[in-house]
Amino acid sequence: MARPRTYDPEVILDVAERLVAASGPQGVTIRRLAAAAGVSNGAIYHTFGSLPALLGRLWLRAADDFLKTQQTAIEQALEAAESPATAAADAVVAAADAPAAFALRRPAAARMLMTVRREQLLGPDLPDQLADELLGLDKRLLSVLLRLADGMWGRTDAAAVGVITLCVVDLPTAAFRRAITAPVAGDPAPIDTDTRRRLEAAVRAVLSIPPPGRPGRRRPTVNKD
């Protein structure tokens, strides 16, 4: 009879997340992770197979949780919108603010996603199953961008999606990077309200100018399907 596990894989991933956030993926070895997590090297290999597989699972776990956070924020914004005319823009603002909300709940994961390039964790030794799951995350992100563009302007062409990408990826990265990546002894302080308000103002200003190219059919609300 196999001996029962005396360790929790999620705890190992939590420790690995803090190590990656603090020193980058190059600072994580099986030996260092095992010592920090209080488990044996063999336990890590038995659970994850290899260090690349562990790092891939780590990235996917954080990215999946972030996308869920963002999706929840979008749905709540749509439900709370004062009128159908403002719902689409409110949803984009909520999506843009999601990194701040995520950093408040999971600071190490937010720091990792903000500072570590995905390619640094997901190398050629990544198992096929994890690579497929990564592709699924990319599709989910694209689905969010398409949905927001369709809600704003009734169009999902490259120009419209580019404007949404500016709002929910580029501007939040610029606004929140310093706070999320600041070197601190413990967890970083929450992103201040003033920064979040200024990001909202910037996003609404960008949305006030329609994307270039053909005019789209304006829809007052974002489709929930």
Side-chain angles (χ1 to χ4, degrees):
M1 180 180 297
R3 288 181 294 177
R5 289 181 176 178
T6 58
Y7 52 89
D8 184 346
E10 291 298 313
V11 172
I12 296 175
L13 289 174
D14 288 342
V15 174
E17 187 173 87
R18 291 193 292 271
L19 291 176
V20 172
S23 57
Q26 68 278 1
V28 181
T29 64
I30 293 294
R31 178 175 297 181
R32 183 182 180 192
L33 176 57
V39 300
S40 67
N41 292 2
I44 295 176
Y45 281 115
H46 176 75
T47 302
F48 299 100
S50 67
L51 182 59
L54 183 151
L55 294 175
R57 179 60 60 192
L58 178 66
W59 177 271
L60 288 164
R61 185 183 73 154
D64 174 72
D65 195 11
F66 170 73
L67 287 176
K68 288 177 179 177
T69 299
Q70 189 175 61
Q71 185 66 41
T72 298
I74 291 171
E75 301 298 343
Q76 291 175 344
L78 292 171
E79 292 176 2
E82 295 183 358
S83 71
T86 65
D90 291 348
V92 178
V93 168
D97 186 68
F102 184 68
L104 181 63
R105 184 167 58 85
R106 292 188 58 187
R111 182 181 178 89
M112 180 183 70
L113 293 176
M114 184 71 76
T115 60
V116 179
R117 296 195 311 274
R118 186 172 69 178
E119 293 76 12
Q120 291 179 270
L121 294 179
L122 309 180
D125 297 328
L126 188 71
D128 291 342
Q129 179 182 351
L130 289 180
D132 291 341
E133 291 183 43
L134 172 63
L135 180 60
L137 283 176
D138 289 342
K139 291 179 178 178
R140 284 169 57 190
L141 174 58
L142 178 59
S143 177
V144 170
L145 299 176
L146 292 171
R147 179 187 182 189
L148 295 174
D150 187 45
M152 278 299 306
W153 303 292
R155 49 186 286 196
T156 57
D157 56 282
V161 172
V163 174
I164 295 298
T165 302
L166 173 63
C167 290
V168 306
V169 179
D170 301 335
L171 289 177
T173 298
F176 299 149
R177 174 181 288 275
R178 183 177 300 174
I180 291 176
T181 64
V184 291
D187 290 342
I191 297 169
D192 61 84
T193 302
D194 182 70
T195 300
R196 296 172 79 168
R197 290 178 60 194
R198 291 180 187 279
L199 174 66
E200 176 180 354
V203 169
R204 292 191 185 278
V206 170
L207 294 176
S208 69
I209 304 174
R214 64 175 180 83
R217 175 170 54 87
R218 174 61 193 271
R219 297 182 181 179
T221 58
V222 177
N223 240 333
K224 294 186 179 181
D225 296 331

